[in-house]
Amino acid sequence: MEEQAVKVEVEVPSYFLCPITLDVMRDPVTLPTGITYDRHAIHRWLRLADGATSATCPLTKLPVAPDCEPTPNHTLRRLIHSWCARNPGAAVDSIERISTPPASANIGPLVSRLADPKKPERETLAALREIRDVAAESEPGRELVAAFPGAADALFAVLVSTSAPSEADMALDAISSLRLAEPCLVRAVDRDGMALVDALVSMLQRDADAVSRARAAMLLADVTACMATSRASSLPEQVFVEAVRLLRDNDGGASTAAIKAALRVLAGATSYGRNRIKAAEAGAVAALVEVLLVDGGRRRAWCELALSALDRLCGCADGRAALVAHGAGVAAVGEMVVGTSAAASGKAVRVLRSVARHAATAEVVREMVATGAVTKLCAVAVSPETQERTRERAQETLRMHAEAWRSSPCIHPNRYPY
């Protein structure tokens, strides 16, 4: 008597199911509306259309020509094949009709290939490229690779251990395509530690193409943001050197994504005292002032991040000294007090308060008046629309040098509140 195959209850990913038949798709195709269906089901739906109002996408209800030829979704088909190969006993009738996928569609062997240190670079690159392609081509592909056991760990292992720039670039490309959740990044940081930071810094140092630099900068920002305090509080000096270099390349080859990532690194890492000194020594204050001068009025997010970093850098003597030494430092911060977001205004007032309290030489006091910073503090100090804490800090700052500022010919005596 012929034995019957044993079937196991396995949950089928929802995006493998045709929205019309609710069966696993054998030949997934995508309509111009962006929704994917099984070919035979959507063709039958469109053939049965009895007019323009009936020829619609079943889910979106958007009009579709009855003679529309959907686009084959090869990536999703490959993912379904791969899943079926890994679940041969699944109790889903439609799975039995799907042929065995090619070896390249199976993520498992690719991950195993990455974990083999004896594999030549050519084979490692090929495996990285296939994983990257699956993750980058569609959302289901990204989810499949991200959820596959050991896939992310293998990619990080290549990134940290390889000495071949081509392998590092491809591994970073694949990791970036996955858009990993914070728990996965935390696990990578806990496992690889500063070796991961060093690998990303090395990629920034070797002047790769703009896309690779942006990916390295964005991953560095994500990694440093989820680090434990014991590690994040003492980052290598080169982290700040490379972040500053990206900011200074604002008018050059650095992408907007890379610059924003550099701002995130500086704004986050300068929460810690030792990092502030390293950042100040790397020239971060001058680079941040230039960001305010060039882009502060056009990019709200950049403005807020730059002021957040400056606020923290002014928590150390080196940071304050660098700000007042910059020819446009006080003026650039003063311009951000009004006419910006509440967050930016609050940070700008905090920076000016630090300068007025700890770095207020007679020359600096005069500069704050001459550049209009004091006038803007006066406006904030009496404005009912200003957040209460920001208004209180502005008032506190104005009291520090009230005698000198009140008598200044640059300020109308009736407009100085103290």
Side-chain angles (χ1 to χ4, degrees):
M1 182 174 180
E2 186 176 346
E3 291 186 33
Q4 293 185 345
V6 178
K7 293 185 178 181
V8 181
E9 291 292 336
V10 178
E11 183 178 355
V12 181
S14 60
Y15 46 85
F16 288 178
L17 304 179
C18 174
I20 298 175
T21 66
L22 299 183
D23 288 331
V24 175
M25 289 182 279
R26 300 179 62 192
D27 188 9
V29 293
T30 304
L31 290 183
T33 60
I35 307 300
T36 299
Y37 302 89
D38 209 351
R39 183 185 292 277
H40 78 88
I42 193 60
H43 275 187
R44 184 172 183 274
W45 173 277
L46 295 176
R47 281 199 309 270
L48 292 177
D50 58 353
T53 56
S54 298
T56 60
C57 171
L59 285 187
T60 66
K61 307 304 180 185
L62 294 174
V64 177
D67 60 347
C68 169
E69 183 58 35
T71 304
N73 193 328
H74 297 298
T75 300
L76 182 56
R77 180 184 177 88
R78 185 169 66 228
L79 295 178
I80 293 173
H81 283 176
S82 178
W83 187 88
C84 291
R86 289 188 288 109
N87 296 276
V92 180
D93 292 339
S94 56
I95 289 179
E96 296 176 353
R97 302 195 302 267
I98 300 178
S99 59
T100 303
S104 61
N106 198 335
I107 303 298
L110 299 176
V111 172
S112 300
R113 201 185 308 172
L114 294 182
D116 186 354
K118 298 181 180 179
K119 289 289 184 182
E121 180 181 343
R122 176 176 53 79
E123 293 190 23
T124 300
L125 276 174
L128 288 170
R129 187 176 293 107
E130 289 192 46
I131 292 175
R132 186 274 315 272
D133 289 345
V134 172
E137 285 178 0
S138 68
E139 184 63 17
R142 183 194 70 79
E143 293 177 355
L144 177 69
V145 177
F148 195 92
D153 294 341
L155 292 171
F156 276 110
V158 172
L159 180 63
V160 169
S161 63
T162 186
S163 59
S166 56
E167 288 186 0
D169 288 341
M170 191 64 70
L172 178 61
D173 192 359
I175 292 170
S176 300
S177 298
L178 295 180
R179 302 196 305 275
L180 296 170
E182 183 175 336
C184 186
L185 289 174
V186 170
R187 187 171 67 248
V189 171
D190 290 344
R191 182 185 62 251
D192 300 321
M194 285 301 173
L196 178 54
V197 174
D198 291 340
L200 294 171
V201 169
S202 296
M203 296 188 72
L204 292 172
Q205 287 176 325
R206 61 181 170 82
D207 288 328
D209 62 90
V211 174
S212 294
R213 292 185 74 197
R215 287 174 179 148
M218 289 188 288
L219 184 55
L220 180 62
D222 291 339
V223 165
T224 54
C226 67
M227 272 186 162
T229 300
S230 58
R231 284 175 170 165
S233 60
S234 185
L235 294 173
E237 294 177 5
Q238 286 302 316
V239 168
F240 304 100
V241 171
E242 293 307 314
V244 169
R245 196 156 72 97
L246 284 171
L247 295 186
R248 287 175 174 165
D249 201 17
N250 190 355
D251 295 328
S255 68
T256 56
I259 294 169
K260 185 175 180 180
L263 290 170
R264 287 176 55 208
V265 170
L266 292 175
T270 50
S271 299
Y272 309 100
R274 282 177 287 184
N275 288 342
R276 292 173 188 167
I277 296 174
K278 294 174 184 178
E281 291 177 347
V285 171
L288 291 166
V289 169
E290 294 301 321
V291 169
L292 293 181
L293 291 172
V294 175
D295 296 289
R298 295 187 291 120
R299 293 183 173 94
R300 172 177 170 176
W302 289 22
C303 173
E304 293 175 357
L305 287 169
L307 286 168
S308 181
L310 283 172
D311 175 30
R312 289 167 174 167
L313 284 167
C314 284
C316 72
D318 289 349
R320 293 189 296 270
L323 181 67
V324 299
H326 192 289
V330 172
V333 175
E335 283 295 317
M336 300 295 110
V337 172
V338 296
T340 56
S341 66
S345 177
K347 297 296 183 184
V349 170
R350 285 172 60 98
V351 172
L352 293 177
R353 184 183 62 165
S354 294
V355 171
R357 175 181 291 168
H358 301 292
T361 63
E363 181 180 355
V364 171
V365 171
R366 289 192 296 270
E367 182 183 359
M368 292 182 72
V369 175
T371 59
V374 175
T375 301
K376 291 179 173 62
L377 286 171
C378 290
V380 169
V382 298
S383 172
E385 298 179 359
T386 303
Q387 291 183 351
E388 182 178 359
R389 194 69 188 96
T390 298
R391 186 167 57 249
E392 292 174 352
R393 291 190 179 111
Q395 294 168 354
E396 178 188 351
T397 305
L398 291 170
R399 291 191 190 100
M400 293 179 190
H401 305 283
E403 184 176 348
W405 288 337
R406 189 187 302 113
S407 60
S408 171
C410 298
I411 298 179
H412 193 285
N414 295 334
R415 295 182 179 177
Y416 197 84
Y418 302 102

